[in-house]
Short mmCIF file of all heavy atoms in Angstrom, two decimals:
data_model
loop_
_atom_site.label_atom_id
_atom_site.label_comp_id
_atom_site.label_asym_id
_atom_site.label_seq_id
_atom_site.Cartn_x
_atom_site.Cartn_y
_atom_site.Cartn_z
N MET V 174 4.55 28.03 -3.72
CA MET V 174 5.11 26.82 -4.53
C MET V 174 4.16 25.61 -4.24
O MET V 174 3.93 25.24 -3.11
CB MET V 174 6.55 26.54 -3.98
CG MET V 174 7.13 25.60 -4.84
SD MET V 174 9.00 25.40 -4.45
CE MET V 174 8.94 24.32 -3.09
N SER V 175 3.69 25.02 -5.31
CA SER V 175 2.99 23.87 -5.18
C SER V 175 3.43 22.81 -6.12
O SER V 175 3.82 23.05 -7.25
CB SER V 175 1.45 24.26 -5.38
OG SER V 175 1.29 24.44 -6.72
N VAL V 176 3.35 21.58 -5.58
CA VAL V 176 3.72 20.47 -6.46
C VAL V 176 2.45 19.62 -6.78
O VAL V 176 1.76 19.21 -5.85
CB VAL V 176 4.84 19.66 -5.79
CG1 VAL V 176 5.06 18.42 -6.65
CG2 VAL V 176 5.99 20.45 -5.48
N TYR V 177 2.15 19.44 -7.97
CA TYR V 177 0.97 18.57 -8.36
C TYR V 177 1.36 17.13 -8.11
O TYR V 177 2.42 16.57 -8.41
CB TYR V 177 0.70 18.63 -9.80
CG TYR V 177 -0.46 17.79 -10.23
CD1 TYR V 177 -1.84 18.01 -9.80
CD2 TYR V 177 -0.15 16.62 -10.93
CE1 TYR V 177 -2.78 17.17 -10.27
CE2 TYR V 177 -1.13 15.76 -11.18
CZ TYR V 177 -2.40 15.91 -10.90
OH TYR V 177 -3.43 15.16 -11.22
N ARG V 178 0.35 16.52 -7.33
CA ARG V 178 0.60 15.06 -7.12
C ARG V 178 -0.71 14.27 -7.57
O ARG V 178 -1.83 14.76 -7.21
CB ARG V 178 0.91 14.77 -5.66
CG ARG V 178 2.10 15.48 -5.22
CD ARG V 178 2.71 14.80 -4.04
NE ARG V 178 1.96 14.83 -3.00
CZ ARG V 178 2.16 13.97 -1.81
NH1 ARG V 178 3.22 13.28 -1.78
NH2 ARG V 178 1.32 14.04 -0.93
N SER V 179 -0.54 13.25 -8.28
CA SER V 179 -1.68 12.61 -8.81
C SER V 179 -2.33 11.74 -7.54
O SER V 179 -1.71 11.53 -6.66
CB SER V 179 -1.23 11.57 -9.79
OG SER V 179 -0.47 10.49 -9.24
N PRO V 180 -3.69 11.48 -7.70
CA PRO V 180 -4.30 10.67 -6.79
C PRO V 180 -3.60 9.43 -6.37
O PRO V 180 -3.53 9.03 -5.29
CB PRO V 180 -5.56 10.29 -7.39
CG PRO V 180 -5.93 11.42 -8.28
CD PRO V 180 -4.45 11.78 -8.98
N PHE V 181 -2.93 8.79 -7.40
CA PHE V 181 -2.20 7.50 -7.17
C PHE V 181 -0.96 7.88 -6.29
O PHE V 181 -0.71 7.04 -5.37
CB PHE V 181 -1.74 6.98 -8.57
CG PHE V 181 -0.90 5.79 -8.33
CD1 PHE V 181 -1.49 4.49 -7.98
CD2 PHE V 181 0.40 5.81 -8.65
CE1 PHE V 181 -0.70 3.38 -7.86
CE2 PHE V 181 1.16 4.71 -8.36
CZ PHE V 181 0.60 3.41 -8.07
N GLU V 182 -0.21 8.90 -6.58
CA GLU V 182 0.83 9.17 -5.74
C GLU V 182 0.49 9.49 -4.26
O GLU V 182 1.11 9.14 -3.28
CB GLU V 182 1.69 10.41 -6.26
CG GLU V 182 2.45 9.97 -7.40
CD GLU V 182 3.08 11.10 -8.20
OE1 GLU V 182 2.41 12.15 -8.30
OE2 GLU V 182 4.20 11.05 -8.60
N ARG V 183 -0.70 10.17 -4.16
CA ARG V 183 -1.20 10.55 -2.74
C ARG V 183 -1.56 9.21 -1.94
O ARG V 183 -1.32 9.07 -0.88
CB ARG V 183 -2.26 11.44 -2.78
CG ARG V 183 -1.86 12.82 -2.68
CD ARG V 183 -2.94 13.91 -2.61
NE ARG V 183 -3.46 14.18 -3.99
CZ ARG V 183 -4.82 14.27 -4.25
NH1 ARG V 183 -5.66 14.28 -3.25
NH2 ARG V 183 -5.23 14.47 -5.48
N LEU V 184 -2.15 8.28 -2.72
CA LEU V 184 -2.53 6.97 -2.17
C LEU V 184 -1.33 6.24 -1.72
O LEU V 184 -1.24 5.73 -0.55
CB LEU V 184 -3.25 6.16 -3.16
CG LEU V 184 -4.76 6.28 -3.20
CD1 LEU V 184 -5.30 5.36 -4.28
CD2 LEU V 184 -5.29 5.70 -1.82
N ARG V 185 -0.26 6.23 -2.69
CA ARG V 185 0.95 5.51 -2.26
C ARG V 185 1.63 6.12 -1.00
O ARG V 185 2.04 5.41 -0.15
CB ARG V 185 1.90 5.63 -3.41
CG ARG V 185 2.93 4.47 -3.35
CD ARG V 185 3.71 4.25 -4.70
NE ARG V 185 4.24 5.53 -5.08
CZ ARG V 185 5.03 5.65 -6.27
NH1 ARG V 185 5.09 4.57 -7.02
NH2 ARG V 185 5.48 6.80 -6.59
N GLN V 186 1.54 7.50 -0.92
CA GLN V 186 2.18 8.13 0.23
C GLN V 186 1.40 7.59 1.51
O GLN V 186 2.01 7.41 2.46
CB GLN V 186 1.98 9.60 0.15
CG GLN V 186 2.47 10.38 1.22
CD GLN V 186 3.94 10.78 1.15
OE1 GLN V 186 4.38 11.25 0.24
NE2 GLN V 186 4.76 10.44 2.14
N LYS V 187 0.08 7.57 1.37
CA LYS V 187 -0.71 7.14 2.48
C LYS V 187 -0.36 5.72 3.01
O LYS V 187 -0.11 5.41 4.15
CB LYS V 187 -2.14 7.11 2.10
CG LYS V 187 -3.09 7.13 3.42
CD LYS V 187 -4.54 7.36 2.89
CE LYS V 187 -5.29 5.95 3.15
NZ LYS V 187 -6.59 6.04 2.60
N PHE V 188 -0.10 4.78 2.03
CA PHE V 188 0.26 3.50 2.27
C PHE V 188 1.68 3.42 2.88
O PHE V 188 2.03 2.58 3.71
CB PHE V 188 0.08 2.53 1.17
CG PHE V 188 -1.45 2.09 0.97
CD1 PHE V 188 -2.37 2.74 0.35
CD2 PHE V 188 -1.70 0.86 1.77
CE1 PHE V 188 -3.72 2.26 0.42
CE2 PHE V 188 -2.98 0.36 1.67
CZ PHE V 188 -3.98 1.08 0.89
N ASP V 189 2.58 4.24 2.25
CA ASP V 189 3.92 4.23 2.77
C ASP V 189 4.03 4.69 4.20
O ASP V 189 4.90 4.19 4.86
CB ASP V 189 4.83 5.15 1.89
CG ASP V 189 5.00 4.49 0.53
OD1 ASP V 189 4.84 3.36 0.28
OD2 ASP V 189 5.59 5.19 -0.38
N ASP V 190 3.02 5.54 4.55
CA ASP V 190 3.21 6.05 5.96
C ASP V 190 2.51 4.99 6.94
O ASP V 190 2.74 5.02 8.16
CB ASP V 190 2.53 7.36 6.00
CG ASP V 190 3.22 8.53 5.35
OD1 ASP V 190 4.42 8.23 5.09
OD2 ASP V 190 2.69 9.49 5.15
N ALA V 191 1.72 4.07 6.45
CA ALA V 191 1.01 3.30 7.30
C ALA V 191 2.00 2.16 7.79
O ALA V 191 2.88 1.77 7.21
CB ALA V 191 -0.17 2.56 6.53
N ASP V 192 1.57 1.64 9.02
CA ASP V 192 2.37 0.54 9.62
C ASP V 192 2.04 -0.73 8.86
O ASP V 192 1.02 -0.96 8.52
CB ASP V 192 2.07 0.46 11.06
CG ASP V 192 2.69 1.49 11.90
OD1 ASP V 192 3.71 2.05 11.43
OD2 ASP V 192 2.23 1.72 13.02
N LEU V 193 3.22 -1.47 8.48
CA LEU V 193 3.02 -2.77 7.96
C LEU V 193 2.96 -3.76 9.07
O LEU V 193 4.03 -4.15 9.60
CB LEU V 193 4.17 -3.06 7.01
CG LEU V 193 3.99 -2.57 5.54
CD1 LEU V 193 5.38 -2.64 4.87
CD2 LEU V 193 2.99 -3.11 4.81
N GLU V 194 1.76 -4.19 9.36
CA GLU V 194 1.66 -5.13 10.44
C GLU V 194 0.96 -6.41 10.05
O GLU V 194 -0.10 -6.33 9.43
CB GLU V 194 1.00 -4.46 11.74
CG GLU V 194 0.92 -5.49 12.90
CD GLU V 194 0.28 -4.91 14.10
OE1 GLU V 194 -0.12 -3.69 13.98
OE2 GLU V 194 0.37 -5.49 15.21
N CYS V 195 1.52 -7.50 10.23
CA CYS V 195 0.97 -8.84 9.71
C CYS V 195 -0.16 -9.13 10.60
O CYS V 195 -0.04 -9.16 11.90
CB CYS V 195 2.05 -9.87 9.77
SG CYS V 195 1.34 -11.45 9.31
N ARG V 196 -1.33 -9.33 10.08
CA ARG V 196 -2.53 -9.76 10.87
C ARG V 196 -2.48 -11.15 11.42
O ARG V 196 -3.28 -11.56 12.33
CB ARG V 196 -3.90 -9.60 10.07
CG ARG V 196 -4.25 -8.03 10.31
CD ARG V 196 -5.62 -7.82 9.58
NE ARG V 196 -5.39 -7.61 8.18
CZ ARG V 196 -6.49 -7.38 7.35
NH1 ARG V 196 -7.60 -7.26 7.78
NH2 ARG V 196 -6.16 -7.25 6.07
N SER V 197 -1.60 -12.04 10.80
CA SER V 197 -1.53 -13.38 11.24
C SER V 197 -0.68 -13.58 12.37
O SER V 197 -1.04 -14.19 13.39
CB SER V 197 -1.05 -14.18 10.13
OG SER V 197 -1.95 -14.20 9.03
N CYS V 198 0.55 -13.00 12.44
CA CYS V 198 1.52 -13.18 13.58
C CYS V 198 1.95 -11.87 14.25
O CYS V 198 2.55 -11.96 15.32
CB CYS V 198 2.78 -13.95 13.00
SG CYS V 198 3.78 -12.74 12.02
N GLY V 199 1.43 -10.81 13.80
CA GLY V 199 1.70 -9.52 14.46
C GLY V 199 3.02 -8.96 14.16
O GLY V 199 3.42 -7.90 14.79
N TYR V 200 3.72 -9.56 13.14
CA TYR V 200 5.05 -8.91 12.78
C TYR V 200 4.91 -7.52 12.24
O TYR V 200 3.95 -7.34 11.38
CB TYR V 200 5.73 -9.92 11.80
CG TYR V 200 6.97 -9.43 11.21
CD1 TYR V 200 8.18 -9.74 11.93
CD2 TYR V 200 7.07 -8.62 10.10
CE1 TYR V 200 9.41 -9.29 11.40
CE2 TYR V 200 8.27 -8.24 9.60
CZ TYR V 200 9.45 -8.52 10.18
OH TYR V 200 10.65 -8.10 9.79
N LEU V 201 5.73 -6.69 12.84
CA LEU V 201 5.75 -5.33 12.28
C LEU V 201 6.88 -5.06 11.38
O LEU V 201 8.10 -5.01 11.88
CB LEU V 201 5.73 -4.35 13.45
CG LEU V 201 5.40 -2.96 13.15
CD1 LEU V 201 4.02 -2.74 12.49
CD2 LEU V 201 5.41 -2.01 14.40
N ASP V 202 6.62 -4.71 10.09
CA ASP V 202 7.74 -4.43 9.14
C ASP V 202 7.92 -2.94 9.05
O ASP V 202 7.17 -2.26 8.42
CB ASP V 202 7.41 -5.15 7.87
CG ASP V 202 8.66 -5.08 7.03
OD1 ASP V 202 9.62 -4.46 7.27
OD2 ASP V 202 8.64 -5.83 5.94
N LEU V 203 8.98 -2.43 9.57
CA LEU V 203 9.27 -1.07 9.55
C LEU V 203 10.11 -0.79 8.30
O LEU V 203 10.21 0.47 7.95
CB LEU V 203 10.00 -0.59 10.82
CG LEU V 203 9.29 -0.89 12.16
CD1 LEU V 203 10.20 -0.45 13.34
CD2 LEU V 203 7.95 -0.03 12.13
N GLU V 204 10.73 -1.64 7.78
CA GLU V 204 11.61 -1.30 6.58
C GLU V 204 10.93 -1.60 5.35
O GLU V 204 11.23 -0.96 4.27
CB GLU V 204 12.86 -2.27 6.74
CG GLU V 204 13.58 -2.18 7.93
CD GLU V 204 14.46 -0.97 8.01
OE1 GLU V 204 15.29 -0.70 7.10
OE2 GLU V 204 14.44 -0.22 9.04
N GLY V 205 10.04 -2.57 5.25
CA GLY V 205 9.41 -3.01 4.17
C GLY V 205 8.44 -1.96 3.52
O GLY V 205 8.15 -1.04 4.06
N GLY V 206 7.93 -2.37 2.36
CA GLY V 206 6.78 -1.54 1.78
C GLY V 206 5.90 -2.45 0.95
O GLY V 206 6.08 -3.54 0.90
N TRP V 207 4.77 -1.76 0.53
CA TRP V 207 3.84 -2.47 -0.26
C TRP V 207 4.22 -2.73 -1.58
O TRP V 207 4.86 -1.95 -2.22
CB TRP V 207 2.50 -1.73 -0.25
CG TRP V 207 1.84 -1.53 1.10
CD1 TRP V 207 2.22 -0.53 2.02
CD2 TRP V 207 0.99 -2.29 1.72
NE1 TRP V 207 1.33 -0.68 3.10
CE2 TRP V 207 0.67 -1.79 2.97
CE3 TRP V 207 0.32 -3.58 1.31
CZ2 TRP V 207 -0.26 -2.43 3.96
CZ3 TRP V 207 -0.64 -4.09 2.26
CH2 TRP V 207 -0.86 -3.62 3.46
N ARG V 208 3.87 -3.91 -2.11
CA ARG V 208 4.14 -4.04 -3.53
C ARG V 208 2.89 -3.68 -4.25
O ARG V 208 1.73 -4.07 -3.88
CB ARG V 208 4.34 -5.62 -3.88
CG ARG V 208 5.26 -5.82 -5.02
CD ARG V 208 5.28 -7.22 -5.50
NE ARG V 208 4.09 -7.63 -6.10
CZ ARG V 208 3.91 -8.82 -6.61
NH1 ARG V 208 4.77 -9.69 -6.60
NH2 ARG V 208 2.69 -9.19 -7.15
N VAL V 209 3.01 -2.76 -5.19
CA VAL V 209 1.78 -2.24 -5.87
C VAL V 209 1.65 -2.74 -7.26
O VAL V 209 2.53 -2.76 -8.10
CB VAL V 209 1.97 -0.63 -5.83
CG1 VAL V 209 0.73 0.12 -6.48
CG2 VAL V 209 2.40 -0.12 -4.58
N THR V 210 0.36 -3.12 -7.51
CA THR V 210 0.00 -3.52 -8.86
C THR V 210 -1.32 -2.74 -9.19
O THR V 210 -2.14 -2.57 -8.38
CB THR V 210 -0.22 -4.99 -8.98
OG1 THR V 210 -1.12 -5.49 -7.98
CG2 THR V 210 1.07 -5.72 -8.82
N THR V 211 -1.32 -2.41 -10.39
CA THR V 211 -2.62 -1.68 -10.90
C THR V 211 -3.14 -2.37 -12.00
O THR V 211 -2.61 -2.99 -12.82
CB THR V 211 -2.22 -0.23 -11.30
OG1 THR V 211 -1.34 -0.20 -12.40
CG2 THR V 211 -1.63 0.62 -10.06
N SER V 212 -4.54 -2.26 -12.05
CA SER V 212 -5.25 -2.73 -13.13
C SER V 212 -6.49 -1.93 -13.42
O SER V 212 -7.35 -1.90 -12.69
CB SER V 212 -5.65 -4.26 -13.08
OG SER V 212 -6.75 -4.34 -12.12
N GLY V 213 -6.44 -1.12 -14.44
CA GLY V 213 -7.59 -0.23 -14.77
C GLY V 213 -7.61 0.78 -13.64
O GLY V 213 -6.59 1.54 -13.24
N SER V 214 -8.82 0.95 -12.95
CA SER V 214 -8.90 1.95 -11.95
C SER V 214 -8.68 1.38 -10.56
O SER V 214 -9.07 1.98 -9.54
CB SER V 214 -10.28 2.66 -12.00
OG SER V 214 -11.33 1.58 -11.77
N ARG V 215 -8.21 0.15 -10.50
CA ARG V 215 -8.01 -0.49 -9.20
C ARG V 215 -6.57 -0.47 -8.98
O ARG V 215 -5.72 -0.76 -9.83
CB ARG V 215 -8.56 -1.83 -9.18
CG ARG V 215 -10.01 -1.85 -9.21
CD ARG V 215 -10.66 -3.14 -8.92
NE ARG V 215 -10.20 -4.17 -10.01
CZ ARG V 215 -10.61 -5.37 -9.90
NH1 ARG V 215 -11.13 -5.91 -8.95
NH2 ARG V 215 -10.11 -6.32 -10.86
N VAL V 216 -6.15 -0.30 -7.65
CA VAL V 216 -4.82 -0.46 -7.20
C VAL V 216 -4.81 -1.48 -6.12
O VAL V 216 -5.50 -1.35 -5.13
CB VAL V 216 -4.26 0.95 -6.73
CG1 VAL V 216 -2.75 0.71 -6.22
CG2 VAL V 216 -4.45 1.95 -7.66
N GLN V 217 -3.87 -2.42 -6.31
CA GLN V 217 -3.82 -3.54 -5.29
C GLN V 217 -2.46 -3.47 -4.65
O GLN V 217 -1.41 -3.37 -5.18
CB GLN V 217 -3.92 -4.83 -6.05
CG GLN V 217 -4.56 -5.94 -5.09
CD GLN V 217 -4.98 -7.10 -5.78
OE1 GLN V 217 -4.17 -7.80 -6.29
NE2 GLN V 217 -6.19 -7.43 -5.79
N TYR V 218 -2.44 -3.40 -3.27
CA TYR V 218 -1.35 -3.41 -2.48
C TYR V 218 -1.10 -4.79 -1.82
O TYR V 218 -1.97 -5.28 -1.19
CB TYR V 218 -1.50 -2.39 -1.38
CG TYR V 218 -1.49 -0.93 -1.87
CD1 TYR V 218 -2.75 -0.39 -2.34
CD2 TYR V 218 -0.41 -0.11 -1.99
CE1 TYR V 218 -2.80 0.89 -2.82
CE2 TYR V 218 -0.48 1.18 -2.50
CZ TYR V 218 -1.71 1.63 -2.92
OH TYR V 218 -1.75 2.91 -3.34
N GLN V 219 0.16 -5.23 -1.96
CA GLN V 219 0.46 -6.54 -1.33
C GLN V 219 1.68 -6.49 -0.50
O GLN V 219 2.56 -5.79 -0.79
CB GLN V 219 0.67 -7.67 -2.44
CG GLN V 219 -0.63 -8.15 -2.97
CD GLN V 219 -0.49 -9.46 -3.78
OE1 GLN V 219 0.65 -9.69 -4.29
NE2 GLN V 219 -1.39 -10.24 -3.88
N PHE V 220 1.61 -7.23 0.54
CA PHE V 220 2.71 -7.28 1.48
C PHE V 220 2.82 -8.66 2.06
O PHE V 220 1.99 -9.27 2.59
CB PHE V 220 2.45 -6.29 2.74
CG PHE V 220 3.31 -6.61 3.92
CD1 PHE V 220 4.74 -6.52 3.88
CD2 PHE V 220 2.69 -7.07 5.07
CE1 PHE V 220 5.52 -6.82 4.93
CE2 PHE V 220 3.56 -7.39 6.21
CZ PHE V 220 4.95 -7.28 6.13
N ALA V 221 3.93 -9.33 1.71
CA ALA V 221 4.11 -10.75 2.12
C ALA V 221 5.09 -10.58 3.42
O ALA V 221 6.14 -9.99 3.47
CB ALA V 221 4.99 -11.42 1.04
N CYS V 222 4.57 -11.20 4.47
CA CYS V 222 5.13 -11.21 5.79
C CYS V 222 6.42 -11.96 5.78
O CYS V 222 6.39 -13.23 5.38
CB CYS V 222 4.21 -11.66 6.86
SG CYS V 222 4.96 -11.90 8.44
N PRO V 223 7.61 -11.42 6.03
CA PRO V 223 8.75 -12.27 6.04
C PRO V 223 8.91 -13.18 7.26
O PRO V 223 9.83 -13.97 7.29
CB PRO V 223 9.92 -11.16 6.08
CG PRO V 223 9.30 -10.03 6.75
CD PRO V 223 7.74 -10.10 6.39
N SER V 224 8.05 -13.18 8.19
CA SER V 224 8.06 -13.87 9.35
C SER V 224 7.31 -15.19 9.23
O SER V 224 7.76 -16.28 9.39
CB SER V 224 7.64 -13.21 10.55
OG SER V 224 7.59 -13.95 11.69
N CYS V 225 6.05 -15.07 8.73
CA CYS V 225 5.18 -16.28 8.66
C CYS V 225 4.72 -16.55 7.23
O CYS V 225 4.14 -17.58 7.00
CB CYS V 225 3.94 -16.10 9.64
SG CYS V 225 2.67 -15.06 8.95
N GLY V 226 5.07 -15.47 6.26
CA GLY V 226 4.65 -15.82 4.91
C GLY V 226 3.18 -15.55 4.63
O GLY V 226 2.86 -15.54 3.31
N ALA V 227 2.45 -14.98 5.52
CA ALA V 227 1.10 -14.55 5.17
C ALA V 227 1.22 -13.33 4.25
O ALA V 227 2.20 -12.51 4.29
CB ALA V 227 0.33 -14.18 6.38
N VAL V 228 0.19 -13.22 3.40
CA VAL V 228 0.05 -12.05 2.44
C VAL V 228 -1.09 -11.10 2.80
O VAL V 228 -2.23 -11.66 2.81
CB VAL V 228 -0.04 -12.54 0.98
CG1 VAL V 228 -0.09 -11.36 -0.02
CG2 VAL V 228 1.17 -13.45 0.65
N GLU V 229 -0.71 -9.92 2.96
CA GLU V 229 -1.69 -8.92 3.24
C GLU V 229 -2.03 -8.28 1.96
O GLU V 229 -1.22 -7.94 1.15
CB GLU V 229 -1.28 -7.85 4.09
CG GLU V 229 -0.99 -8.30 5.58
CD GLU V 229 -2.39 -8.19 6.45
OE1 GLU V 229 -3.18 -7.43 6.13
OE2 GLU V 229 -2.50 -9.12 7.29
N THR V 230 -3.28 -8.12 1.70
CA THR V 230 -3.83 -7.48 0.36
C THR V 230 -4.65 -6.36 0.73
O THR V 230 -5.74 -6.56 1.40
CB THR V 230 -4.43 -8.45 -0.52
OG1 THR V 230 -3.43 -9.54 -0.77
CG2 THR V 230 -4.70 -7.85 -1.89
N ARG V 231 -4.55 -5.30 0.13
CA ARG V 231 -5.53 -4.09 0.18
C ARG V 231 -5.82 -3.61 -1.31
O ARG V 231 -4.94 -3.60 -2.04
CB ARG V 231 -4.95 -2.98 0.89
CG ARG V 231 -4.36 -3.24 2.23
CD ARG V 231 -5.43 -3.28 3.35
NE ARG V 231 -4.79 -4.00 4.56
CZ ARG V 231 -4.04 -3.42 5.39
NH1 ARG V 231 -3.79 -2.16 5.45
NH2 ARG V 231 -3.52 -4.15 6.43
N GLU V 232 -7.07 -3.45 -1.44
CA GLU V 232 -7.46 -3.02 -2.80
C GLU V 232 -8.06 -1.66 -2.64
O GLU V 232 -8.94 -1.47 -1.82
CB GLU V 232 -8.40 -3.97 -3.40
CG GLU V 232 -8.50 -3.83 -4.90
CD GLU V 232 -9.40 -4.84 -5.58
OE1 GLU V 232 -8.86 -5.81 -5.82
OE2 GLU V 232 -10.58 -4.57 -5.78
N VAL V 233 -7.67 -0.76 -3.55
CA VAL V 233 -8.23 0.58 -3.58
C VAL V 233 -8.73 0.97 -4.94
O VAL V 233 -8.17 0.64 -5.88
CB VAL V 233 -7.13 1.57 -3.20
CG1 VAL V 233 -7.72 3.00 -3.17
CG2 VAL V 233 -6.61 1.28 -1.80
N ARG V 234 -9.90 1.54 -5.05
CA ARG V 234 -10.37 2.02 -6.23
C ARG V 234 -10.11 3.49 -6.41
O ARG V 234 -10.42 4.29 -5.52
CB ARG V 234 -11.95 1.75 -6.26
CG ARG V 234 -12.36 0.46 -6.75
CD ARG V 234 -13.82 0.28 -6.58
NE ARG V 234 -14.24 -1.12 -6.87
CZ ARG V 234 -14.50 -1.62 -8.14
NH1 ARG V 234 -14.28 -0.97 -9.10
NH2 ARG V 234 -14.77 -2.98 -8.20
N LEU V 235 -9.54 3.83 -7.57
CA LEU V 235 -9.28 5.13 -7.78
C LEU V 235 -10.69 5.84 -8.25
O LEU V 235 -11.28 5.31 -9.20
CB LEU V 235 -8.26 5.44 -8.81
CG LEU V 235 -6.87 4.89 -8.50
CD1 LEU V 235 -5.98 5.06 -9.63
CD2 LEU V 235 -6.33 5.72 -7.26
N ALA V 236 -10.92 6.97 -7.56
CA ALA V 236 -12.14 7.72 -8.21
C ALA V 236 -11.94 8.23 -9.55
O ALA V 236 -10.86 8.64 -9.88
CB ALA V 236 -12.45 8.87 -7.12
N PRO V 237 -12.99 8.18 -10.41
CA PRO V 237 -12.80 8.71 -11.67
C PRO V 237 -12.43 10.16 -11.77
O PRO V 237 -12.82 10.88 -10.88
CB PRO V 237 -14.25 8.41 -12.44
CG PRO V 237 -15.07 8.29 -11.22
CD PRO V 237 -14.27 7.80 -10.08
ZN1 ZN F 754 3.18 -12.74 9.66
#
């Protein structure tokens, strides 16, 4: 039994599993998740720290 998963879904899984740690204050968000926005072949992940308000941003390019 195999389930097809798109590269995007695999990426999201990877980010969902990663620890959300604010680089500004060290706050570790165990409940939250990345806010995901896509534009073309780029996927941008954003996380707003509820403690200090800093915004973490990661950008990933999807391989063609
Ligand atoms: Zn913070």
Side-chain angles (χ1 to χ4, degrees):
M174 189 170 83
S175 70
V176 178
Y177 173 78
R178 298 205 303 169
S179 72
F181 178 72
E182 282 173 320
R183 267 183 283 144
L184 265 178
R185 197 166 59 180
Q186 177 87 54
K187 196 176 112 185
F188 273 89
D189 282 349
D190 289 346
D192 284 340
L193 278 169
E194 186 175 2
C195 175
R196 270 184 281 185
S197 296
C198 72
Y200 177 87
L201 189 62
D202 191 344
L203 299 173
E204 305 280 313
W207 295 90
R208 212 190 73 171
V209 184
T210 54
T211 57
S212 71
S214 61
R215 291 188 302 175
V216 184
Q217 210 169 62
Y218 295 82
Q219 279 194 336
F220 161 65
C222 176
S224 178
C225 74
V228 177
E229 291 279 324
T230 305
R231 309 277 162 83
E232 191 176 281
V233 178
R234 277 175 188 276
L235 293 180

